[in-house]
Amino acid sequence: MSGPASGSGIALALAVLEEVARGGPTLSANRIAQLLGMPRASAYRLINSLTSDEYLLRHPTLDGFVLGVRVVELAHLIAPRTADPTPEIIAALRERTGEAVHFVRYPGGRVVIVDEDPDLPLLSIDRTRRQLGATAIGRLLLAEFPPLEATVDPVAARVVADSARASGISIDERLRIASEIERLGYAWCTEPGAVARACIAVPVRSPEGELVAAVVLSTVGAERDRVARHLGALLDASAELAHRAYAVDPQRG
């Protein structure tokens, strides 16, 4: 057997922490066991141990976990001394538009909700992470890895393909989504119904052009024009984030 499940106890513990960091608080112990290919009983014992030692913390209302205080302390010891400009930029965008603004990252072909607007939360974090074709956030990720095309990150492409297949998205649909986003430069989605929403997700790219994050704006009501009028502000915020948060480290050249 290969992969985390065949590793040492330390490797397994680190793999669990990595899955929690990527997956967020909706990732249950059972799902962690599935992702790592571990027997459920072994995963539960390891997760209980990490929780007891304060490397993990059970979320108070959801089924999953968040990283514990000892991981946070370790991160602070090795974190860059320059402040992350992301919270400031997202807060300014919320004030400028008066609408709900979210910020997400895309590590390893997954959706990680970094900053969810508390005034108008996402309809479902789990659906946002797993049903990629159903939201503007997920559609950006689908478009980053068009099927049948070569990629510099085959592991992330496989994660995206598995998520698309699991939620019933055909290859033709993925190609259509990728073509639309290439033409527009952003993803959009409307959801009619009793809790109608319109949403735009603008990509934030690394200096190498890779999709690393997205600035997302959501409005009440399914009128595309209402959300599209804020596109300029979203593009400005995306450019500022790319410049201030993801610019090339001058120490590395």
Side-chain angles (χ1 to χ4, degrees), residues 140-141 143-144 181-182 185-186 202-214 238-239 241-243 245-247:
L140 266 189
L141 186 53
E144 186 69 5
I181 292 173
E182 181 180 18
Y186 61 88
V202 172
V204 179
R205 296 190 178 278
S206 71
E208 293 76 24
E210 298 171 352
L211 176 69
V212 291
S238 170
L241 278 164
H243 175 70
Y246 296 98

Side-chain angles (χ1 to χ4, degrees), residues 213-248:
V215 183
V216 187
L217 186 142
S218 180
T219 61
V220 175
E223 300 84 6
R224 185 183 176 187
D225 289 348
R226 178 172 175 179
V227 68
R229 66 182 178 177
H230 298 298
L231 180 59
L234 284 164
L235 291 171
D236 289 346
S238 170
E240 187 176 5
L241 278 164
H243 175 70
R244 294 178 58 189
Y246 296 98
V248 176

Side-chain angles (χ1 to χ4, degrees), residues 2-248:
S2 61
S6 63
S8 66
I10 293 175
L12 286 171
L14 292 174
V16 169
L17 295 176
E18 185 177 352
E19 288 297 338
V20 171
R22 285 176 172 171
T26 61
L27 197 64
S28 67
N30 189 43
R31 181 58 179 157
I32 292 172
Q34 292 175 353
L35 290 171
L36 298 180
M38 297 175 63
R40 191 165 57 179
S42 299
Y44 278 37
R45 283 196 296 272
L46 179 55
I47 290 169
N48 285 336
S49 177
L50 289 169
T51 304
S52 175
D53 291 337
E54 299 184 323
Y55 287 103
L56 286 179
L57 181 68
R58 294 184 188 279
H59 194 278
T61 58
L62 301 176
D63 293 336
F65 304 83
V66 294
L67 297 178
V69 63
R70 296 186 69 176
V71 176
V72 174
E73 289 174 349
L74 179 61
H76 284 172
L77 289 174
I78 62 176
R81 294 187 181 278
T82 55
D84 181 359
T86 304
E88 170 193 339
I89 294 171
I90 296 301
L93 185 59
R94 286 170 180 157
E95 183 174 356
R96 177 179 174 183
T97 64
E99 303 285 3
V101 175
H102 315 289
F103 182 69
V104 304
R105 290 197 174 102
Y106 297 105
R110 302 170 191 269
V111 174
V112 174
I113 312 299
V114 177
D115 187 350
E116 181 184 21
D117 196 311
D119 291 336
L120 187 65
L122 298 166
L123 291 176
S124 168
I125 290 179
D126 189 62
R127 190 189 66 151
T128 301
R129 292 179 54 238
R130 302 185 191 285
Q131 298 181 21
L132 301 182
T135 69
I137 293 171
R139 293 162 81 87
L140 266 189
L141 186 53
L142 284 175
E144 186 69 5
F145 298 100
L148 313 179
E149 290 190 17
T151 175
V152 296
D153 192 345
V155 174
R158 187 171 64 247
V159 171
V160 171
D162 289 345
S163 297
R165 191 180 307 110
S167 57
I169 304 174
S170 69
I171 289 179
D172 286 346
E173 176 68 2
R174 290 182 60 193
L175 290 171
R176 191 190 67 74
I177 291 171
S179 176
E180 178 185 85
I181 292 173
E182 181 180 18
R183 176 171 55 84
L184 294 175
Y186 61 88
W188 71 279
C189 188
T190 60
E191 299 184 75
V195 286
R197 300 273 183 95
C199 184
I200 281 184
V202 172
V204 179
R205 296 190 178 278
S206 71
E208 293 76 24
E210 298 171 352
L211 176 69
V212 291
V215 183
V216 187
L217 186 142
S218 180
T219 61
V220 175
E223 300 84 6
R224 185 183 176 187
D225 289 348
R226 178 172 175 179
V227 68
R229 66 182 178 177
H230 298 298
L231 180 59
L234 284 164
L235 291 171
D236 289 346
S238 170
E240 187 176 5
L241 278 164
H243 175 70
R244 294 178 58 189
Y246 296 98
V248 176

